[in-house]
Each structure stands twice: as C-alpha cells, then as structure tokens.
Amino acid sequence: MTPEALFHELLGLGLNWEVTESRFEPASGTVFLDIRERPSFWESARCPQDGGPVFCYDHTDVLNWRHLNVFQHRCEISCRLPRGKCRQCGHVFRVRPPWEGLSIHFTKEFEAFALLLMREMPMAKVAEVTQESDMRLWRMLFKHVDGAYSQADFSNVCCVGVDEMGVRKGQHYLSVFADLVAKRVIFATEGHDKETWSVFIQALEAHHGHRHALTQVSMDMSAAYQQGVKENCRNAQVVFDKFHVLANASQRVDQVRRAEVRLGGAEARESLRRSQWLWRKNPENLSPEEQVRLARIQTKNLYTAKAYQMRLVLQDIYRSASASVAKGRFKIWCRWVRWVARLYKAGIFSPMLKVAQMVQDHLAGILAHWRWGLTNAFMEGLNSVFSAVKRKARGYRSTVYLITILYLVAGKLRLPHA
Ligand SMILES: [Zn+2]
C-alpha cells in the first residue's frame, strides 16, 4: 500500500476523492496531503439550486485545511477545489469537500478536537497547544455555537432561573437565564433591568418556548426582574431562591462588621481585622485554624458575632419540613432581629433590620422555595460555572466571547454542529 492509499483509507475519502501526494516538510514540520476529485465525482454531483446535472467549470487556487496531527506533526490537507456549473440553470458554485468543517480553515475532525479542548482550557491555551491563531479558533467556535444554538429547542421550558454574572468589577452585568429542569443555560444578555425580560421572552419564543408556559421563575429580589416577570408571564410564580436570600444576609453581616471596626474600641478592631471571610462561611466549612479563631472572637461578645448568629439561624430555617413551619420561624426571626436591634445603640444592627424587612416583604416568594426547592440546585451551581467561563475567556473583553463560552460549557448544545 502506498502512503497515499493509506492516507486515503485513514481519511475515509470514498470513491470520489483521492490523495495524489503526501509529503513531509521538515522546515515547517508539516505533513501535506494533496487531494483532488476523481472523474467519478462528477457523475453524482448535483446543482445546489435545482439539483440539475453539473460539469467541472474550473478549480480554485490551492486551499489548505488544518487536520489532526500525524504523530507530533502538524497536518494540512491541500486541494484545488473544483467549481461546478449546472447544465440546467448555469449556476457556478464551489464544491464543499467532505472534510471541510464549518470554518474554511479547518477539517471537521480538527474542529471537533479543538471544541473538546475549549471545554477544558482557556482559549489562549487552546491557541498555544494547537498553534493556531486565537481569532481563527474563536471564529470557528462562533460558527458552531451559533449554529447549534439556533436549533436549540425550548418548548419544554417551564421553570426558569435568572442570575447576574458580573463581567468586570462594577461595570457590566450579564443576565443569565437557565432551564432549571434540564439544568442548562438557555439565554444570556447584557444588562439587568426590566427590558432584559422582554429580550429573554423573545429568545424563548423564537425557540418554541412560551411565556405562559413558565410556572416558576427563580431570582434575586431585584425589583426590575420582578416587574419584568409580572408584565410578561402571568402564570409564573416568583421564587426568591435560598441562595440569594442567604447571600444577601451574608453581605449585611459584613456591613455590621465594617461598622463595628469603625465604631468599636481597639479590641473589637483587633479581633475583627481581616476576619471578613470567616463570617461568610458556614461553621462546618471552616478550617481548624479558622474554627479556633472564630471561637476566640465569639467569646468577646461582638456585634458581628451576633449578626453572624442571625444569619445562621436564618439559614437553619431552610431546614424546616414545610412552608408553614418555615413561615412561623421566619416571622419569629424577624421579631427577634428587631428586638435585638432595639437593645443596642447607634443603629449598629440596621443592616440586619434590612434583611428582616426584606424577608417580611418577600415572604410569599421566599416560602415558594418549599414548593419548588428541588429545581433550585442548578442556580447555586451557576456561580462556579461563571468563574470557569471567565477563566476560559480571559483576555477577551467583549461579552460576545463570554456568552459563547457560557453556551459552550453550560448550554447542553449539540456540538460539534454539523
Ligand atoms: Zn442548477
């Protein structure tokens, strides 16, 4: 078997194409495979417009497609692609060869391999490993993700969660919408206001979903989102998910800590120095050293420790067996927080009062957790997805890159797109 015949077999070219030459260029370390069509190609070729018989019109200049490596060596397919002309309508067209991927520079197999790498590592790293330009790789990824996304089906979507992904500190936000049943990201867009909901509903319905099919919407307590749901989705029950309620309480604990550092005596300042991470964790997640430190701080009767305790009790309410039990406990919690706040001076607990007010104002949505709790696990995991996405798209500022990676890793799209 000649090397050309071997490569022909390996590439699975069939009867219509042949490898005319295979050669290795040591200078560039590249294996080139020259391919051309066989005469039999024209017997089965048909016009893409009307299916009429075609004949060979001419050939393009030499084109190259990056293929999978041969051992450690870069491999490229070279071909002067034939252009056909229709005998019926006279249409002239470039033949699409069987190896070509969605981008004109890569073969299907190379694209599938690069997509695999993109799921695992940052784009800059993929460019380094494959020795391809990052922009070429991005263009290829856009084609696959756009193609697969345009065919994504949202007709079964009934439980939706929305969360914000901070893009750059204090500047940009992406609103990310997830199908909580299928556990996939279905839409992301810049901004986080009322309009964002209309944009999402348009996307949902462009993919065979329906606004009134939504029965549950999980989100944080932003008024803009609530307004958006109210105006667009009459059947949706709003659920304020546990994750956001507790994250809010944690932020308020930190505000108490900062106020105490500012207002408290030297001892309070010393105890609380660089302690913010302690208060954000649950006791069971602290390292042994952190546990010792927390225990020591807690003997000092600090306001921060009190606020932290409030947060832990709030969290514990989520272990209640039913919404009615939880409702009673939430109410008792609010009364307790208000009572403690009155005992102490100078509004030190006013951040915690805000949590109590929030719980009271949004109680129905918070209690909806007990009805829909199971579907919310995916929302909590989204944050780690966001960090992974940002890592993979590091160095590329436009949100288009972020959204594309988000769809690649969390959209459950059919990739590679054919
Ligand atoms: Zn034709």
Side-chain angles (χ1 to χ4, degrees), residues 301-322:
N301 211 4
L302 296 164
Y303 300 127
T304 309
K306 197 87 191 157
Y308 180 61
Q309 197 193 351
M310 289 171 182
R311 201 267 277 169
L312 293 181
V313 173
L314 185 67
Q315 182 170 335
D316 193 60
I317 298 176
Y318 275 97
R319 291 157 67 161
S320 306
S322 69

Side-chain angles (χ1 to χ4, degrees), residues 251 253-263 272 304:
Q251 279 170 16
V253 171
D254 198 52
Q255 288 173 5
V256 173
R257 182 190 64 82
R258 274 183 278 155
E260 189 167 24
V261 167
R262 213 165 48 239
L263 304 168
L272 292 172
T304 309

Side-chain angles (χ1 to χ4, degrees), residues 47 50 86 89:
C47 169
D50 58 6
C86 178
C89 70

Side-chain angles (χ1 to χ4, degrees), residues 54-103:
V54 297
F55 62 92
C56 179
Y57 181 72
D58 63 359
H59 286 80
T60 65
D61 291 336
V62 176
L63 301 173
N64 289 304
W65 294 261
R66 172 77 187 273
H67 192 50
L68 295 174
N69 284 7
V70 175
F71 299 116
Q72 70 274 42
H73 303 293
R74 186 185 178 92
C75 174
E76 292 199 2
I77 287 176
S78 299
C79 180
R80 293 183 59 204
L81 279 183
R83 296 204 304 157
K85 183 165 184 178
C86 178
R87 289 184 196 281
Q88 275 175 192
C89 70
H91 175 55
V92 175
F93 60 96
R94 199 200 87 160
V95 166
R96 177 138 190 245
W99 58 83
E100 188 171 67
L102 290 190
S103 55

